[in-house]
Amino acid sequence: MCLVKREEHKLKQTSFIFHMMANVRAHFCFLLSFTTFLNLISCHNLPETHVALFIFGDSLFDPGNNNYINTTFDFQANFWPYGETFFKYPTGRFSDGRLIPDFIAQFAGLPIIPTYLQPGNHKFTDGVNFASGGAGALVESHQGFVVDLETQIKYFKKVEKSLRQELGDAEAKKLLSRAVYLISIGGNDYLTRNSSASDEEFAFMVLGNLTVALKEVYKKGGRKFGFPNMMPLGCLPYLKAKAGGSCIDEVTAIAKLHNGELPKTLNQLDNQLEGFKYAYFNFYKSVNERLNNPSKYGFKDATRACCGSGLLGGVYSCGGKRGITEFHLCENPGEYFFFDSYHPSEKAYQQFAELIWAGTTDIVWPYNLKTLFEA
């Protein structure tokens, strides 16, 4: 009898030990799973100082989105000699090298911001670039050949949704509110203007569409913005060549009109939208200073395009794929203010980026981009 009870007691002890071991194993597995879960979450917790960069606009900011749309070579720069200075291959940027946003990303400690339309899996936590060469604030500007501002905003909303799915609502909201939004738009609207509206009415249409776009970004969390104003459009080599070598004052006049109204528009938004901050860069003044006194800024020539043909290189033939195969190419693009008939060289872009990044209030106000990134 005692022997049987002893055996039963042993069985109970063994069963208890196995039960305890199973519990320990279960708790251990749970801890492992929970730790893994925490690690997954922590991967999405970005540093408190992280500031993303989102970019909208036209060829001044396009890093190659137009490589991936059904368009013509007039609106693409994915062929030699574009990109020859820095990248050593054509990226789709309308210059010999980097553009303003590329330098801003560098100054901010970010990688080069990728194109939105490039195929593949994107991570948007550093930002993304929606700009499209030839795009305008008005849908009608080069319609069917470019990604207009309204469509760029639709793409941004998709990115916002993707960030919320990846990071969660709170983290995505924080990222979008800390981010800086760079926008260059309007030049193509004025250059391709086909409207019976007066200059004032037309400028208000452009600025009206820009305002709608800014409010959409604001709704999704955007608070910090950067804007270059219009350069003296009538002094582009393309237009000067058409006028026999002189700037076309009527075209520059509407750029001046735009530049007079844009600060008023931004000031209104500042009053209407809580937390709205911006850097307004006097691109017009910066370009004019270099056109009038190129040697002061390290340029040998601010009249002719480095790459093109005809008078002043004003024929838009750089690369030989836009209907005219012959073109000339200078030896050193850094000596030229203009790389092609419409667009500045990398050297010029770097100077502008330095000004909008850290310039004083005589050239960028009420904030510069460095201040916005640190805010």
Side-chain angles (χ1 to χ4, degrees), residues 9-178:
H9 182 66
K10 279 184 180 177
L11 282 170
K12 283 180 180 175
Q13 277 188 322
T14 306
S15 174
F16 178 74
I17 290 167
F18 274 119
H19 183 68
M20 287 296 294
M21 286 174 68
N23 275 344
V24 168
R25 194 182 297 116
H27 279 91
F28 182 68
C29 290
F30 171 77
L31 284 170
L32 273 179
S33 301
F34 189 65
T35 306
T36 306
F37 174 69
L38 286 177
N39 284 338
L40 283 171
I41 291 177
S42 67
C43 289
H44 291 321
N45 282 336
L46 297 164
E48 284 297 318
T49 55
H50 182 77
V51 181
L53 177 60
F54 293 94
I55 301 144
F56 304 84
D58 51 30
S59 58
L60 296 180
F61 283 4
D62 180 6
N65 276 305
N66 283 9
N67 298 352
Y68 308 104
I69 63 173
N70 183 19
T71 188
T72 68
F73 286 124
D74 282 355
F75 303 99
Q76 291 178 316
N78 54 347
F79 46 87
W80 184 86
Y82 290 102
E84 64 165 358
T85 299
F86 178 78
F87 298 99
K88 308 301 181 189
Y89 69 94
T91 62
R93 288 166 173 81
F94 293 80
S95 183
D96 58 301
R98 290 162 289 182
L99 309 177
I100 290 172
D102 298 317
F103 289 107
I104 297 304
Q106 179 188 325
F107 301 156
L110 293 167
I112 284 180
I113 304 301
T115 56
Y116 174 73
L117 291 178
Q118 185 173 346
N121 293 323
H122 289 296
K123 290 190 78 68
F124 299 117
T125 48
D126 289 326
V128 70
N129 190 326
F130 305 97
S132 169
L138 306 178
V139 175
E140 299 78 20
S141 299
H142 297 138
Q143 191 169 9
F145 294 97
V146 301
V147 183
D148 60 79
L149 182 60
E150 186 179 318
T151 305
Q152 292 179 34
I153 296 298
K154 287 177 183 172
Y155 291 157
F156 170 68
K157 289 178 180 177
K158 289 183 179 180
V159 166
E160 182 260 350
K161 188 176 179 182
S162 172
L163 283 167
R164 281 196 286 113
Q165 288 170 346
E166 181 189 348
L167 304 175
D169 289 351
E171 237 359 74
K173 185 179 179 183
K174 187 161 75 172
L175 182 142
L176 292 165
S177 66
R178 286 186 58 79

